Amino acid sequence: MRYFITLIVVIVIVAVVIGFWLVGSPQQERLRRFDERRVQDLQILQSEIINYWMNKNFLPNNLSALKDDIRGFIPPKDPQTRKDYDYNVGNSQNLIFELCAHFTLSNMNGTSEISAPKPFYSSDYYADQQNWRHDSGLVCFERKIDPDFYRPKQKF
């Protein structure tokens, strides 16, 4: 009976070690989720910047310009540090801007994107398919608004 209990304890310990090895530690998972949230926040900010441009026909000077009390939109902050994301207008004439975040982990190891692709009928399908691969540290994603695809709204 003693050998049987010892064998069961060893099997359980081996299973836990293999589980941590395959999935990662809870701390690694937490860091990965922070990075996943950062990508989602940048996707939201990108959509809001495009929406801002379509309504006003110019890029916002900073992310706080996206705040809209009527719609209840407040630009998201980094989930771990609670600091604002970096935003730079590269060339407002060519509609180029950058969104930057500090990532803890890299997702450049050849696996799929951090955010799972949505079905093709999703309204955010185009945004989800863009490249959001990143290394660890500060990473900036340069985007260019295509005015033929995202047309400014007509004012009446």
Side-chain angles (χ1 to χ4, degrees), residues 43-66:
Q43 288 174 334
I44 290 167
L45 289 170
Q46 175 181 288
S47 295
E48 288 296 321
I49 291 167
I50 291 169
N51 187 44
Y52 187 96
W53 180 81
M54 289 173 63
N55 285 300
K56 300 196 180 224
N57 207 14
F58 61 90
L59 293 174
N61 292 328
N62 53 49
L63 293 178
S64 62
L66 299 174

Side-chain angles (χ1 to χ4, degrees), residues 7-150:
L7 179 65
I8 296 297
V9 169
V10 168
I11 289 173
V12 168
I13 290 172
V14 168
V16 168
V17 169
I18 290 174
F20 278 129
W21 181 72
L22 290 175
V23 177
S25 69
Q27 179 63 22
Q28 279 294 104
E29 179 62 17
R30 185 170 187 260
L31 295 175
R32 190 191 65 76
R33 286 184 185 233
F34 278 138
D35 283 349
E36 184 177 80
R37 176 64 188 268
R38 288 179 183 106
V39 168
Q40 292 169 356
D41 287 349
L42 294 180
Q43 288 174 334
I44 290 167
L45 289 170
Q46 175 181 288
S47 295
E48 288 296 321
I49 291 167
I50 291 169
N51 187 44
Y52 187 96
W53 180 81
M54 289 173 63
N55 285 300
K56 300 196 180 224
N57 207 14
F58 61 90
L59 293 174
N61 292 328
N62 53 49
L63 293 178
S64 62
L66 299 174
K67 183 178 179 188
D68 186 345
D69 293 331
I70 293 174
R71 288 187 307 130
F73 181 77
I74 299 171
K77 296 181 181 289
D78 184 284
Q80 191 173 15
T81 65
R82 304 306 306 153
K83 292 182 180 178
D84 291 331
Y85 291 105
D86 296 331
Y87 165 74
N88 304 304
V89 178
N91 185 332
S92 61
Q93 303 298 347
N94 293 332
L95 304 173
I96 296 173
F97 64 92
E98 283 184 330
L99 288 169
C100 308
H102 290 271
F103 292 95
T104 309
L105 305 172
S106 172
N107 72 347
M108 302 288 284
N109 60 1
T111 60
S112 62
E113 295 290 329
I114 273 187
S115 50
K118 297 198 181 197
F120 72 93
Y121 55 82
S122 167
S123 61
D124 293 329
Y125 177 75
Y126 181 74
D128 290 337
Q129 298 307 312
Q130 290 181 353
N131 186 358
W132 292 98
R133 292 198 182 278
H134 58 81
D135 213 341
S136 60
L138 179 65
V139 177
C140 293
F141 299 94
E142 184 178 279
R143 300 295 189 238
K144 181 177 186 202
I145 298 175
D146 181 353
D148 293 328
F149 189 75
Y150 299 104

